[in-house]
Amino acid sequence: MTRRPRAGRAPRAPRLRPLATYAAIAVFLAACGEEVRDSATNPATPQAADLNWLWSLSFWMGTVVWIVVMILLAVPILRSRRAHDDEPAELATASAPGRQPPGAEIDGPMVAADPARHAEARRDAKVRSRLLWIGGIIVPVIILFVLLIADGRVGATTAHVEREGELVVDVTGHMFWWEVSYPEEGIVTANEINIPVDRPVRFRLLSEDVIHSFWLPPLHGKTDMIPGQENWQSFVPTQTGRFRGNCAEFCGIAHAQMVVWVEVMEPDDYDDWVLANQSPPDAPETESAIAGERAYFEAGCAACHAIDGTASVARVGPDLTNLASRGTLAAGIVPNTRDNLRELIIDPWGLKPGNPMPPTIIDDDELDALLDYLETLQ
Ligand code: HEC
Ligand SMILES: [Cu+2]
């Protein structure tokens, strides 16, 4: 048995309306919640402010174009409806789609025979061609030209950042973490970048494996990190604070968990940070930490990691020299706590699926000693 749709009612349409309403509400509510800080629309450098200005300009121009197009679309639809309502009853029936008798030509002869309609048709054609010229050529050319000028201006201001007294930091993308090194200061760290406020910073961006993209939304735009090529990004941080960035080029399974934190500090605090990080960590003193250092080498950690002042110098994984003074683990995704450190060592995929660190099989005493040792690294 086939079900016939009831006459005069589009099946299903009414059900979609509440669904669409909920979807629209959900989209709006998605913007609520915690303080939106680490966003490109909340810039903390003049360079990011310029980029945000360019984005807003394109957004608002696009919005105006969209509204005008919607109006232009609505006008003929409403007009043709009104025209239908005005038509005599039999004509309206005859001109309804699908009801035309074969061979009937409703419009042509009727229009030609009626001089008023003929004039109206010519006026319509004129309006149409004028609209085509203005809306299809003149306005788009003006809009694109405005955007071109704005784009060039922002490109110039973001490319020419003051270089006097700049700080150079090398950042190398790895699957799935960031190697951070300060060539002048002789510091190597990972996933957390400390920089002083009001001093230009220039990042030399590299990649060790695949293409990554360095993106600190409140501080600057995205810059690709390409194997075998140096890319540069510079800006002047004008606000202190802690900012979150993320890899912005899909680089593999843990791409979304490749987070980087930037701490913009007062110059004095930054100088203290540099001093504290220029010297290797003190040798372990407690019995447990000494045993932990031994466990570190026995478990093979030194095959991939480096700790200044020890025989561990590999660069496959993040440098652990100042591990205990970092706030986060596994490329910025979890707080640096003893429990997270333990989980990372025995079950790295539990914390961050797909990361290249192998699980370590180690007995509990040794693991505790190892954690005691890692907690001395600062
Ligand atoms: C085969 C190489 C390899 C070995 C062996 C290895 N790791 Fe790792 N480790 C890595 C890589 C790669 C990462 C980065 C993972 C990520 O965040 O994607 C990492 C991350 C870490 C981190 C987090 C660092 C940070 O700042 O986020 C710690 C701590 C760590 N490893 C400790 C150890 C310890 C302790 C051992 C020995 C028990 C060890 N690793 C063995 C490769 C290795
Ligand atoms: Cu990446």
Side-chain angles (χ1 to χ4, degrees):
M1 210 171 75
T2 48
R3 279 170 67 207
R4 288 220 232 122
R6 261 179 283 159
R9 192 161 161 234
R12 302 254 168 132
R15 286 235 194 113
L16 280 177
R17 206 169 301 159
L19 206 69
T21 313
Y22 295 141
I25 291 173
V27 168
F28 277 104
L29 287 182
C32 305
E34 278 183 77
E35 187 192 5
V36 187
R37 225 193 52 176
D38 298 315
S39 152
T41 58
N42 203 352
T45 68
Q47 289 69 34
D50 276 351
L51 290 170
N52 185 39
W53 174 82
L54 184 63
W55 182 85
S56 306
L57 181 74
S58 328
F59 175 79
W60 288 113
M61 284 176 92
T63 305
V64 170
V65 169
W66 185 79
I67 290 172
V68 170
V69 169
M70 286 301 126
I71 292 172
L72 289 179
L73 194 66
V75 167
I77 292 174
L78 295 177
R79 269 176 59 182
S80 81
R81 274 203 192 164
R82 209 174 324 129
H84 266 293
D85 292 347
D86 293 347
E87 271 171 304
E90 46 201 282
L91 237 172
T93 331
S95 65
R99 295 266 184 91
Q100 262 165 274
E105 285 179 73
I106 310 295
D107 275 359
M110 288 286 297
V111 170
D114 181 345
R117 278 209 162 192
H118 191 60
E120 192 183 318
R122 278 195 18 200
R123 221 179 318 122
D124 275 0
K126 218 182 206 171
V127 169
R128 229 174 285 147
S129 99
R130 204 172 288 166
L131 268 179
L132 266 183
W133 269 97
I134 298 176
I137 297 175
I138 299 174
V139 173
V141 166
I142 293 175
I143 290 176
L144 291 178
F145 199 70
V146 169
L147 286 177
L148 180 74
I149 302 285
D151 194 43
R153 196 193 82 93
V154 170
T157 56
T158 49
H160 296 112
V161 174
E162 175 66 53
R163 298 197 52 184
E164 178 99 11
E166 70 184 4
L167 167 69
V168 175
V169 183
D170 293 354
V171 182
T172 306
H174 293 255
M175 289 159 83
F176 302 95
W177 59 281
W178 315 84
E179 180 182 341
V180 180
S181 100
Y182 296 67
E184 283 287 311
E185 291 74 8
I187 296 173
V188 179
T189 176
N191 306 321
E192 297 188 4
I193 306 173
N194 295 60
I195 51 176
V197 71
D198 292 331
R199 176 172 167 196
V201 59
R202 233 156 97 79
F203 290 105
R204 191 164 75 106
L205 303 173
L206 308 152
S207 171
E208 190 63 32
D209 36 47
V210 298
I211 300 180
H212 303 271
S213 178
F214 185 65
W215 189 31
L216 311 168
L219 305 177
H220 205 296
K222 301 170 183 173
T223 308
D224 274 2
M225 307 172 115
I226 298 167
Q229 183 176 326
E230 268 177 22
N231 281 346
W232 294 85
Q233 181 183 104
S234 41
F235 56 80
V236 185
T238 47
Q239 281 173 34
T240 56
R242 197 168 158 77
F243 302 97
R244 186 182 190 275
N246 209 109
C247 180
E249 178 78 46
F250 183 75
C251 57
I253 181 166
H255 155 74
Q257 289 173 308
M258 189 170 161
V259 172
V260 55
W261 289 93
V262 173
E263 180 96 37
V264 181
M265 315 170 90
E266 293 296 346
D268 287 348
D269 296 342
Y270 172 74
D271 291 343
D272 291 348
W273 179 84
V274 169
L275 268 181
N277 283 275
Q278 275 173 331
S279 45
D282 297 335
E285 280 166 9
T286 65
E287 202 177 308
S288 171
I290 292 169
E293 186 179 20
R294 216 168 29 241
Y296 174 88
F297 285 95
E298 280 168 11
C301 315
C304 297
H305 293 284
I307 298 174
D308 268 10
T310 73
S312 176
V313 292
R315 286 287 192 90
V316 178
D319 189 291
L320 302 180
T321 301
N322 67 356
L323 177 71
S325 59
R326 301 210 280 261
T328 58
L329 286 180
I333 62 163
V334 290
N336 184 359
T337 62
R338 194 175 169 97
D339 283 346
N340 285 332
L341 203 51
R342 176 184 286 121
E343 182 166 3
L344 185 65
I345 292 168
I346 55 179
D347 181 18
W349 280 36
L351 211 59
K352 182 169 172 177
N355 95 64
M357 174 155 147
T360 299
I361 296 161
I362 184 171
D363 58 54
D364 286 350
D365 293 346
E366 265 188 272
L367 180 56
D368 268 323
L370 176 58
L371 294 172
D372 285 342
Y373 170 60
L374 294 175
E375 285 173 353
T376 68
L377 301 176
Q378 50 187 334

